[in-house]
Amino acid sequence: MQDEQRHILGLLVENQPGVLSRVAGLFSGRGFNIESLCVAETNEPGVSRITLVTKANEAILEQIKKQVNKLVNVIKVIDLSNVPAVKREMVLIKVKAKPEHRAEILRIVDIFRCKVVDVSSEHYTVEVTGDQDKIAALLDLFRPMGIWEIARTGINALSREKK
Amino acid sequence: MNLNGSQIFWKILKEEGVDTVFGYPGGAVIDLYDELARTKGIEHILVRHEQGAVHAADGYARVSGKTGVCLVTSGPGATNTVTGIASAYCDSVPLVVFTGQVPTTLIGNDAFQEVDIVGITRPCTKHNYLVGDINDFARILKEAFYLASSGRPGPVLVDIPKNVMQATVNFKTPPKKTTMRSYNPTYEPNVKQLKKVVKALVEAKRPLIFAGGGVVLSKGSDELTRLARRLSIPVTTSLMGLGSFPGTDPLSLGMLGMHGTYRANMSTAACDVMLGVGVRFDDRVTGKTDTFASQAKIIHIDIDPTSIRKNVPVWLPVVGDCAITLKKLNELLDAEDLSGVAERRRAWLDQVEEWRKANRLAYDQKDVIKPQYVVQRLYELTKGEAIITTEVGQNQMWAAQYYLFDRPNRFVTSGGLGCMGFGLPAAIGAQMAAPGELVVDIAGDSSIQMNSQELATAVQYNLPVKVVILNNGYLGMVRQWQELFYDRRYSETRMSHAPDFVKLAEAYGAMGLRADKPEQVDETLEKAMAHNGPVIMDFRVEAEESVYPMVPAGAPITEMLLV
Ligand SMILES: Cc1cc2nc3c(=O)[nH]c(=O)nc-3n(C[C@H](O)[C@H](O)[C@H](O)COP(=O)(O)OP(=O)(O)OC[C@H]3O[C@@H](n4cnc5c(N)ncnc54)[C@H](O)[C@@H]3O)c2cc1C
Ligand SMILES: Cc1ncc(C[n+]2csc(CCOP(=O)(O)OP(=O)(O)O)c2C)c(N)n1
């Protein structure tokens, strides 16, 4: 589709059974796209936050925001693409660690300020948090050594404003 | 006060003003039915199929303006409601559907007659609930009624596990007024926007009002009529908007769209300002969207922001309730000098009159009964005073074209889902809502077979609904498409084995009548209307008659196929 752009939406929702499937079902049923989805409770009892990344043109984005807002369990929808916001993702990377690569991997981990959270004789599991560029750069560096598996949380985001 | 779930259920329903329930019992709701037998002030209509219960509640809601209520059992009872719920969802009809469910302890175990009806109906309800805890029960019941009838109305489903009906709690009366932090429909329009609307309407040279189901739902017809008349603006309506503006008013253009009138579609293409009120610019209306009202600035009043700019670009959006918004517009107009307006519209109204005179709905009644003639005679003999329900297909379109409605809540049809089998149960519900009135289902010979079992319901409860079958021996509307766009290959559209409808009626204890010749049309209709009980009329009509005008799907709505 032309003019499609990535948008990050923050949804505050009632923490009711089925709320996630209402949101996910809305996207699949109406042919909207979801790139990633990240859900957990907030500091407010009974309220969860869903951070959702979608690709859409302006007209579709307007429908997405209105349709999501219309769900009875959704309290608020914030478009984090248009306001100053911090956007972070956490990734666990299982990278193959041959003896000749071990030092190199640790050096990269140090430079990228990430952490080794698990080790075996054959691999390291690295935990990295950051924006998409940083994660892409890190994955590029690890790729030649052999990435076994990765697990990504999807983007999590908060606006910089007070509320 | 200690109450069990079943007692709480009927108590809250009565508080919500419910006096009529359409339902069908089963194991999972036997407790609710047991309590019903001890409850006064609720009339239960035992339908013959749960789909019928939902369509009946739909017809009841649309004629009464109240929320329709259904009660069915778990599993197959629940799944049988889905088509009815989907139809009500598409047409924004306020319904609350209660389904029984297996006990909470068994949910997820593939228990007997367990289905995840909340999961199944999530995309076709406004909202739905599984009651997990007796302590939430009263609140959920109140919320269900509140959601169904407020904002943009719609069906709400409440799934009630059997052990919740049986559990006992110390019942505390919930607050009278329900509020929900995540749900606040916008009723009041933005006044700044309204001033722009007034200016545009007063200054327009070729204005057109396009009114829809939202005007009926918000009870905004009187305000709409006043607005249109004082500004001399012609009014076209969607299928769902028929009756929102008097069909016999000189300013009425009838329906627009795929089977809209010639004058309505021509006016749509030519207008310079279009005021859309409570409409959703459905594809049956717009045809090719790029060419729809392409000379017009579109103003759109709707309570649901998702309806606005979904299908067509809108110049001026107004989010608000139709009735409230139209009233405010009329108030603003009180301060305007409208003396020159009628004069300014003269050329436009003359043009519209030219299109009207083309009379593209004319037909030739010769030896074989024309379906249009049956509807027209029905209209004339009932003086336009009947409540009309329809099945789906050609019968529905002829009803929309040849029966004029001067009042809202008199035309009940499955518009958005277009579901065959709707008309007879909807007529039963309509008759429950309006006991003294004449209720007629305009039907096709195929559609009527989808829920003809409900004739037993009509007979049982002495509901004198009349069914006019326009019997063409075909799945007529599909046959029409095959004729026009598929080289007349009538693949599987011949309905060669229908029952003898007269005998069918009689088997159920109703009256059955047949008309084969044009001269029998009047006497058949008159005989049926004189009979105080349900009647099926089998009109043998011209088999290959088609509905015109017709705009091929996706074409500009001025590209009409005409007779
Ligand atoms: C065989 C067939 C052929 C058809 N052909 C045609 C045709 O030629 N022409 C045609 O018009 N239709 C046709 N239809 C019907 C069509 O599919 C749609 O159902 C219909 O056009 C929708 O009508 P509407 O726009 O008035 O919306 P509705 O479905 O009635 O929706 C109501 C709108 O009003 C809004 N609303 C609700 N309550 C309020 C309120 N209180 N205040 C403000 N707004 C409110 C809602 O948000 C919604 O946007 C056909 C259907 C069938 C089955
Ligand atoms: C439940 C359902 N199944 C199929 C259709 C598709 N369909 C639309 S109109 C139509 C033909 C209806 O035939 P009939 O009831 O005889 O009415 P007619 O068009 O001949 O007036 C069909 C099959 C539908 N709308 N609903």
Side-chain angles (χ1 to χ4, degrees):
Chain A
M1 279 274 261
Q2 47 182 336
D3 318 325
E4 270 190 356
Q5 286 203 324
R6 285 175 84 227
H7 296 273
I8 304 174
L9 301 180
L11 278 51
L12 291 176
V13 301
E14 305 264 9
N15 192 1
Q16 298 281 341
V19 64
L20 184 58
S21 77
R22 286 183 205 282
V23 173
L26 172 70
F27 275 74
S28 62
R30 291 189 180 268
F32 301 148
N33 147 292
I34 300 186
E35 276 198 354
S36 71
L37 190 79
C38 185
V39 198
E41 290 180 344
T42 64
N43 55 332
E44 203 177 322
V47 177
S48 288
R49 179 185 292 274
I50 298 179
T51 307
L52 188 152
V53 180
T54 182
K55 241 190 198 154
N57 63 24
E58 279 306 316
I60 304 276
L61 180 70
E62 181 179 329
Q63 268 298 312
I64 291 178
K65 288 196 265 183
K66 287 172 167 179
Q67 292 285 359
V68 173
N69 236 322
K70 184 171 155 181
L71 291 175
V72 169
N73 289 146
V74 172
I75 303 167
K76 194 173 172 189
V77 180
I78 313 141
D79 187 350
L80 292 160
S81 320
N82 300 330
V83 296
V86 281
K87 300 158 192 168
R88 318 278 283 174
E89 178 171 16
M90 197 269 270
V91 186
L92 295 173
I93 309 165
K94 212 180 266 178
V95 55
K96 193 166 162 189
K98 284 195 198 145
E100 64 267 35
H101 289 147
R102 291 195 159 230
E104 163 101 32
I105 292 173
L106 292 177
R107 201 159 47 239
I108 296 173
V109 164
D110 197 38
I111 296 169
F112 276 77
R113 270 176 273 152
C114 37
K115 268 191 290 197
V116 174
V117 289
D118 189 34
V119 196
S120 78
S121 55
E122 287 172 275
H123 83 282
Y124 285 130
T125 300
V126 176
E127 175 195 315
V128 56
T129 302
D131 61 25
Q132 303 253 293
D133 291 347
K134 173 174 168 178
I135 288 165
L138 185 67
L139 289 174
D140 280 347
L141 288 172
F142 282 160
R143 200 158 289 125
M145 301 171 208
I147 295 174
W148 279 352
E149 268 189 310
I150 61 172
R152 311 178 69 137
T153 58
I155 293 181
N156 200 3
L158 272 186
S159 86
R160 287 178 192 273
E161 281 140 25
K162 199 165 155 215
K163 194 95 205 242
Chain B
M1 187 180 22
N2 276 342
L3 293 181
N4 67 29
S6 301
Q7 291 167 326
I8 292 173
F9 179 82
W10 292 112
K11 186 174 164 56
I12 301 276
L13 258 65
K14 287 178 72 172
E15 276 175 30
E16 291 295 322
V18 175
D19 53 21
T20 308
V21 173
F22 301 89
Y24 208 93
V29 285
I30 205 162
D31 289 271
L32 294 178
Y33 273 92
D34 189 52
E35 191 57 37
L36 170 65
R38 280 187 285 254
T39 305
K40 290 204 179 66
I42 301 264
E43 178 153 28
H44 180 274
I45 304 296
L46 178 69
V47 294
R48 297 301 185 266
H49 185 297
E50 289 88 349
Q51 183 185 350
V54 189
H55 292 329
D58 188 317
Y60 175 86
R62 287 209 234 174
V63 170
S64 68
K66 296 186 358 182
T67 298
V69 180
C70 302
L71 173 59
V72 302
T73 194
S74 69
T79 52
N80 270 350
T81 64
V82 173
T83 302
I85 293 173
S87 179
Y89 182 68
C90 293
D91 293 342
S92 305
V93 180
L95 295 188
V96 181
V97 178
F98 297 103
T99 50
Q101 182 54 285
V102 302
T104 48
T105 46
L106 288 182
I107 290 179
N109 286 8
D110 299 325
F112 176 63
Q113 297 194 328
E114 176 189 357
V115 295
D116 175 12
I117 195 66
V118 167
I120 290 173
T121 58
R122 215 170 263 139
C124 62
T125 49
K126 180 168 171 183
H127 194 58
N128 60 16
Y129 293 91
L130 170 65
V131 186
D133 184 341
I134 178 79
N135 291 299
D136 297 331
F137 195 26
R139 173 185 57 82
I140 289 176
L141 291 171
K142 302 271 298 181
E143 284 182 4
F145 280 93
Y146 171 56
L147 286 171
S149 60
S150 60
R152 177 179 184 169
V156 176
L157 180 137
V158 183
D159 197 23
I160 315 167
K162 191 171 167 115
N163 57 335
V164 170
M165 301 169 195
Q166 294 169 339
T168 301
V169 280
N170 183 359
F171 177 77
K172 292 187 196 68
T173 310
K176 265 235 138 48
K177 197 169 176 301
T178 304
T179 52
M180 298 169 74
R181 74 167 155 185
S182 57
Y183 174 78
N184 290 298
T186 307
Y187 288 92
E188 293 290 330
N190 176 329
V191 178
K192 267 214 311 254
Q193 298 282 82
L194 294 194
K195 290 193 175 139
K196 290 189 213 157
V197 176
V198 165
K199 188 162 184 289
L201 291 181
V202 170
E203 287 175 2
K205 289 204 182 70
R206 302 183 309 279
L208 179 67
I209 292 175
F210 167 29
V215 178
V216 179
L217 289 162
S218 73
K219 307 185 172 66
S221 294
D222 290 346
E223 295 290 346
L224 174 73
T225 306
R226 173 148 190 256
L227 182 96
R229 284 181 180 159
R230 69 201 295 202
L231 289 175
S232 306
I233 304 181
V235 181
T236 179
T237 77
S238 68
L239 182 72
M240 301 303 293
L242 289 170
S244 64
F245 183 78
T248 54
D249 191 289
L251 287 170
S252 170
L253 305 184
M255 181 172 83
L256 83 174
M258 180 175 274
H259 293 294
T261 63
Y262 179 74
R263 55 186 188 269
N265 286 358
M266 296 307 283
S267 305
T268 301
C271 66
D272 64 351
V273 170
M274 171 179 270
L275 174 66
V277 227
V279 287
R280 56 190 175 82
F281 294 92
D282 184 85
D283 55 80
R284 299 281 107 159
V285 164
T286 60
K288 190 173 192 284
T289 46
D290 307 348
T291 54
F292 178 79
S294 54
Q295 302 190 38
K297 293 178 179 170
I298 298 181
I299 304 168
H300 190 182
I301 303 171
D302 204 289
I303 201 158
D304 180 355
T306 70
S307 282
I308 297 174
R309 294 208 175 99
K310 178 157 56 183
N311 300 327
V312 296
V314 168
W315 172 66
L316 197 64
V318 180
V319 177
D321 173 74
C322 291
I324 296 176
T325 306
L326 290 165
K327 182 158 189 283
K328 296 219 152 145
L329 286 173
N330 274 320
E331 282 164 12
L332 289 172
L333 283 168
D334 289 341
E336 300 280 319
D337 173 17
L338 301 179
S339 51
V341 168
E343 195 46 46
R344 210 173 315 149
R345 304 276 197 259
R346 174 76 42 92
W348 171 232
L349 292 176
D350 286 349
Q351 171 66 74
V352 172
E353 194 49 35
E354 287 291 300
W355 287 323
R356 183 194 307 275
K357 281 194 194 128
N359 190 14
R360 291 307 194 157
L361 289 180
Y363 57 89
D364 225 357
Q365 177 56 70
K366 292 200 191 105
D367 312 341
V368 184
I369 303 173
K370 290 276 187 181
Q372 300 92 321
Y373 176 68
V374 179
V375 179
Q376 191 182 337
R377 288 307 294 152
L378 177 70
Y379 171 66
E380 287 160 0
L381 291 172
T382 58
K383 305 187 178 63
E385 288 294 319
I387 293 173
I388 301 290
T389 71
T390 76
E391 300 293 339
V392 169
Q394 296 180 317
N395 57 86
Q396 180 184 28
M397 292 300 108
W398 285 317
Q401 292 176 333
Y402 295 90
Y403 204 103
L404 307 185
F405 298 89
D406 277 343
R407 285 182 285 158
N409 308 95
R410 317 283 297 176
F411 181 60
V412 180
T413 193
S414 173
L417 193 68
C419 115
M420 294 167 68
F422 176 84
L424 177 57
I428 288 172
Q431 189 77 77
M432 283 300 296
E437 306 234 28
L438 176 64
V439 179
V440 182
D441 172 26
I442 297 182
D445 49 309
S446 313
S447 297
I448 193 64
Q449 293 183 59
M450 286 210 178
N451 274 321
S452 58
Q453 78 284 349
E454 298 306 333
L455 203 53
T457 314
V459 172
Q460 177 179 348
Y461 294 93
N462 291 320
L463 298 169
V465 299
K466 316 294 181 222
V467 181
V468 167
I469 301 178
L470 304 175
N471 187 346
N472 53 17
Y474 280 105
L475 303 173
M477 183 55 91
V478 185
R479 183 209 59 75
Q480 173 171 347
W481 283 55
Q482 291 171 333
E483 175 189 331
L484 295 172
F485 311 116
Y486 293 85
D487 291 332
R488 303 179 68 102
R489 280 184 301 279
Y490 291 168
S491 177
E492 299 300 325
T493 43
R494 183 91 183 100
M495 180 49 68
S496 55
H497 284 68
D500 178 329
F501 289 112
V502 174
K503 284 191 186 152
L504 182 75
E506 287 165 1
Y508 279 112
M511 179 188 267
L513 301 170
R514 179 167 294 122
D516 304 288
K517 298 192 190 67
E519 53 276 21
Q520 296 169 333
V521 169
D522 277 21
E523 58 184 83
T524 305
L525 289 170
E526 275 161 355
K527 196 165 171 198
M529 288 189 290
H531 178 63
N532 184 23
V535 182
I536 288 194
M537 289 161 267
D538 181 11
F539 291 94
R540 298 302 179 88
V541 299
E542 181 85 60
E544 297 197 22
E545 187 68 19
S546 289
V547 181
Y548 293 108
M550 175 171 194
V551 179
I557 62 167
T558 44
E559 290 182 13
M560 287 168 268
L561 306 176
L562 301 163
V563 213

